[in-house]
Amino acid sequence: MKILNFGSINIDIFFRVEHIVRPGETISSESIEKRAGGKGLNQSVALAKVSDSVYHAGSIGTDGNFLIEEMENFGVDTSLLKKSDKLTGNAIIQVDDKGENSIVLYKGANFDNSESYVDEVLSHFEKDDILVLQNEINCMPYIVNKAYENGLKIVLNPSPITDEIEKIDLDKIDLLLVNETEAKALAKVSDAKKAVNYFRDNFPSLKVVETFGKNGSMYFDKDNLINQDSFKVDAVDTTGAGDTFTGYFVTYFYKGERIEKCLEVATKASALSVTKKGASISIPSHEAVLKFKG
């Protein structure tokens, strides 16, 4: 089984602040750091922590060569990347003293994918290979339609929620990973229970994982609903926690592990990730996750 992550690649610029800046306010940053990031890159790194066959596709500018090296160091195959004349995507990230974050994205090369490039990438994969997607690149509906035609199992993390997501046929998605806000936005409802009913009634073959931050997570499909509590840790930086959860859950899920095990391992990985600064560099090793008792 090969895993293709067709996703974003960003240069993350972190500002450490006492509190997230408010409208009209100017504050000083305690520190500034430049690191590898993007939901796509983060999820590829998380996937590679537990799988030895992870490929990353997407567009990157010439200013992002250090990101390619970083992904390769983590075991991600970058041979399918497209070099773009545009600047690499950027993210300006504020992290406050409580570990909460606020992010501004610049799309850059992440929106320089073409349909011909998508076709070329997908030609390297076969029926029942896994495709992982987030919503930080262009051509999303085209990628979903072509991958579905080719028989790939499609995983969608529709973050950030935009109008483009409404163009995607969720009947073509095998596994949907959303946080509580995203679930309610997609279902156009006001509470999580109604979101469960919406997905079950309208997409009976869809499998869904919904995360609630410190309140845990749940998996549901048309027949099952399984809850998972969170693990209490001292949070330093929550950036990339959701991407860590996604990478671990997806790998365990498609290896055929029990849902309870998938949720437990992904939740442990996510918990460990928030105890360190950064996004991709905070993703724990598989060994560390298995040793973590919670």
Side-chain angles (χ1 to χ4, degrees):
M1 176 188 73
K2 293 192 291 187
I3 302 176
L4 166 64
N5 187 0
F6 210 132
S8 58
I9 304 168
N10 285 340
I11 298 172
D12 284 353
I13 304 175
F14 286 83
F15 291 87
R16 189 77 192 189
V17 293
E18 181 181 358
H19 63 267
I20 304 299
V21 67
R22 292 182 282 266
E25 182 181 28
T26 299
I27 61 177
S28 295
S29 175
E30 299 167 15
S31 64
I32 181 172
E33 295 181 61
K34 182 186 291 187
R35 304 187 190 130
K39 293 189 72 64
L41 183 149
N42 295 339
Q43 290 182 16
S44 282
V45 171
L47 289 161
K49 296 284 185 175
V50 275
S51 175
D52 57 3
S53 187
V54 177
Y55 299 78
H56 191 103
S59 297
I60 187 169
T62 55
D63 57 330
N65 288 331
F66 78 98
L67 303 176
I68 298 176
E69 291 182 18
E70 182 140 348
M71 282 192 285
E72 291 176 345
N73 288 338
F74 283 119
V76 179
D77 189 312
T78 64
S79 61
L80 299 176
L81 284 177
K82 173 189 173 185
K83 294 294 182 66
S84 171
D85 292 332
K86 296 183 178 180
L87 290 175
T88 300
N90 269 248
I92 304 299
I93 304 171
Q94 298 178 61
V95 181
D96 69 15
D97 289 343
K98 296 179 180 178
E100 296 298 326
N101 64 68
S102 177
I103 304 172
V104 178
L105 291 174
Y106 167 68
K107 298 174 181 177
N110 290 319
F111 272 60
D112 196 29
N113 300 305
S114 64
E115 293 183 359
S116 60
Y117 170 57
V118 172
D119 293 342
E120 164 59 22
V121 168
L122 293 179
S123 70
H124 295 274
F125 297 87
E126 301 175 346
K127 185 178 183 295
D128 291 333
D129 282 338
I130 311 304
L131 169 65
V132 180
L133 294 169
Q134 319 79 33
N135 194 32
E136 289 184 345
I137 61 173
N138 67 324
C139 286
M140 285 284 289
Y142 184 82
I143 295 171
V144 169
N145 292 337
K146 294 298 291 187
Y148 183 79
E149 289 175 11
N150 293 351
L152 276 70
K153 293 181 179 177
I154 306 171
V155 178
L156 176 62
N157 172 212
S159 178
I161 293 289
T162 66
D163 292 342
E164 193 75 357
I165 289 297
E166 296 187 4
K167 300 176 184 178
I168 294 175
D169 182 358
L170 293 184
D171 280 319
K172 296 180 179 180
I173 304 303
D174 188 56
L175 175 65
L176 182 72
L177 293 109
V178 287
N179 62 29
E180 184 176 9
T181 300
E182 292 157 356
K184 290 188 289 188
L186 287 174
K188 295 180 172 62
V189 296
S190 57
D191 66 68
K193 186 175 181 180
K194 289 181 180 179
V196 172
N197 294 334
Y198 168 81
F199 289 118
R200 281 178 164 173
D201 293 343
N202 292 280
F203 308 100
S205 64
L206 183 65
K207 304 152 188 114
V208 181
V209 175
E210 187 172 350
T211 58
F212 304 94
K214 62 181 67 176
N215 294 318
S217 59
M218 70 177 175
Y219 166 93
F220 64 89
D221 53 35
K222 65 177 181 179
D223 300 316
N224 305 287
L225 194 154
I226 301 167
N227 289 295
Q228 169 67 50
D229 292 334
S230 62
F231 294 95
K232 292 184 179 180
V233 294
D234 293 325
V236 174
D237 182 357
T238 59
T239 311
D243 299 328
T244 300
F245 183 101
T246 295
Y248 270 83
F249 185 91
V250 167
T251 307
Y252 266 69
F253 182 77
Y254 287 106
K255 285 183 177 179
E257 295 283 354
R258 293 181 302 109
I259 299 300
E260 291 85 352
K261 184 69 172 178
C262 299
L263 286 171
E264 178 188 2
V265 171
T267 303
K268 286 183 175 181
S270 180
L272 284 174
S273 75
V274 306
T275 64
K276 296 180 180 180
K277 294 181 181 179
S280 61
I281 61 172
S282 72
I283 299 171
S285 68
H286 194 195
E287 181 182 9
V289 173
L290 295 179
K291 286 182 178 179
F292 180 56
K293 302 299 182 183

